[in-house]
Amino acid sequence: MRLHWAAFTEMLRCTLLSHLRNRLALLLTIVFLPGWIAVARLCASDQVLRFSLDSAGSGVLARANQVSQVANALAAVTLVTGFVTFMQTFKAGGVDRRLILAGYPRVPMLLAKGAAVALIAALLALYTTAVLWVSLPVRQLGPLALAVLGAGLAYGGIGLLLGSLVRGELEGFFLVIMLSLVDTGLQNPVLNVADLSALAVFPLYGANQLALAAAFTTSTPWSYGLLSLAWSAGAGALALLGLHARSRSHCEVGTSPGIGATPAGGGRFTPLGSGRSGPVP
């Protein structure tokens, strides 16, 4: 247990430091996110829009530019979290596999990466909610923040999964962009006038329903927020399977270091922060 906790804390520290060194991610967060919300406010119509909202159980009246700001905020969060999580996971893939071959336990490694995603999503949710609060007459600030957090967790999990599975950086970027564009476009009431029952299977459905209800109604459909958590947990579990499969393919038969196991040489794992890493005789 002590070994797994040391592995978790050390991998969490290294993952967070890797995110902090990503200048593109910081630029996207500070500039792109409020800029995209401002574009929605300036470009969308000021007319009152009536749209159906499953979480509210009835039609909702709101100005089109206000609805677009909420939808674009979720779109920006999905892109930022999906990008930064995929980039970090993909670039660290080779090092992660070598650590696993040296005896680093898989479960603490993925849990640390998931905890880093949760921290990033929480910071993004606070920042995005503050921007929307300045720009909109938000009815329920807390539920709106939770909805934005759910969107970040869902696409953070997807980025983690893609970073563990795809073999090329371009493929991962393409998948993140296309999934986010399709998902946010179909969930946006200003752009999508058709009532499609299949929207419920998309990652952003629950977060979008909770966000719109929190911004423009007094209803708080907490159950819809759980859908994003389910997506995040499912993607994280698949990422663990992908990490296990890819790392095992690099091991010799009979020497694959499972969780808590020792490497082939009979050594033990020493946490990265102790000055040595990998097998110790």
Side-chain angles (χ1 to χ4, degrees):
M1 181 61 69
R2 183 178 301 175
L3 169 67
H4 282 209
W5 176 251
F8 170 81
T9 55
E10 185 63 24
M11 181 56 65
L12 177 60
R13 184 184 69 85
C14 293
T15 304
L16 291 176
L17 287 176
S18 177
H19 283 301
L20 289 176
R21 294 191 186 102
N22 191 339
R23 295 181 180 179
L24 177 60
L26 294 176
L27 182 64
L28 287 174
T29 301
I30 298 173
V31 178
F32 171 71
L33 202 152
W36 197 236
I37 295 175
V39 168
R41 180 175 184 175
L42 294 174
C43 296
S45 170
D46 195 39
Q47 295 181 351
V48 176
L49 174 71
R50 182 180 182 87
F51 59 94
S52 61
L53 195 62
D54 296 340
S55 58
S58 61
V60 178
L61 293 175
R63 295 188 182 278
N65 59 3
Q66 294 179 348
V67 176
S68 290
Q69 288 179 68
V70 175
N72 278 25
L74 294 179
V77 167
T78 59
L79 281 174
V80 171
T81 53
F83 269 133
V84 299
T85 306
F86 166 75
M87 288 175 62
Q88 194 282 329
T89 307
F90 181 80
K91 291 182 177 180
V95 176
D96 291 343
R97 287 190 292 272
R98 288 193 291 272
L99 286 173
I100 290 174
L101 289 173
Y104 207 106
R106 291 180 177 87
V107 172
M109 174 182 288
L110 188 66
L111 289 178
K113 292 181 180 293
V117 171
L119 290 174
I120 293 170
L123 292 175
L124 275 174
L126 292 175
Y127 180 57
T128 306
T129 305
V131 174
L132 288 175
W133 178 71
V134 172
S135 182
L136 291 174
V138 177
R139 293 284 189 91
Q140 304 177 76
L141 201 60
L144 178 61
L146 290 177
V148 179
L149 173 63
L153 289 175
Y155 273 81
I158 291 172
L160 192 66
L161 173 61
L162 293 176
S164 302
L165 294 181
V166 301
R167 297 187 178 273
E169 193 171 3
L170 182 60
E171 293 93 322
F173 284 158
F174 178 79
L175 289 172
V176 170
I177 291 173
M178 291 306 299
L179 180 58
S180 177
L181 286 178
V182 172
D183 196 358
T184 54
L186 291 176
Q187 304 288 350
N188 190 343
V190 178
L191 301 178
N192 181 28
V193 295
D195 187 11
L196 302 176
S197 58
L199 292 179
V201 303
F202 284 87
L204 198 59
Y205 174 75
N208 185 71
Q209 291 287 318
L210 179 58
L212 292 175
F216 305 113
T217 72
T218 57
S219 173
T220 309
W222 298 110
S223 59
Y224 282 83
L226 298 178
L227 297 176
S228 299
L229 297 180
W231 264 97
S232 180
L238 291 176
L240 175 61
L241 293 177
L243 179 65
H244 174 78
R246 292 191 66 174
S247 60
R248 186 170 183 174
S249 65
H250 290 73
C251 298
E252 296 179 0
V253 178
T255 62
S256 175
I259 299 173
T262 58
R268 58 183 176 82
F269 167 74
T270 300
L272 297 175
S274 62
R276 300 185 61 182
S277 62
V280 178

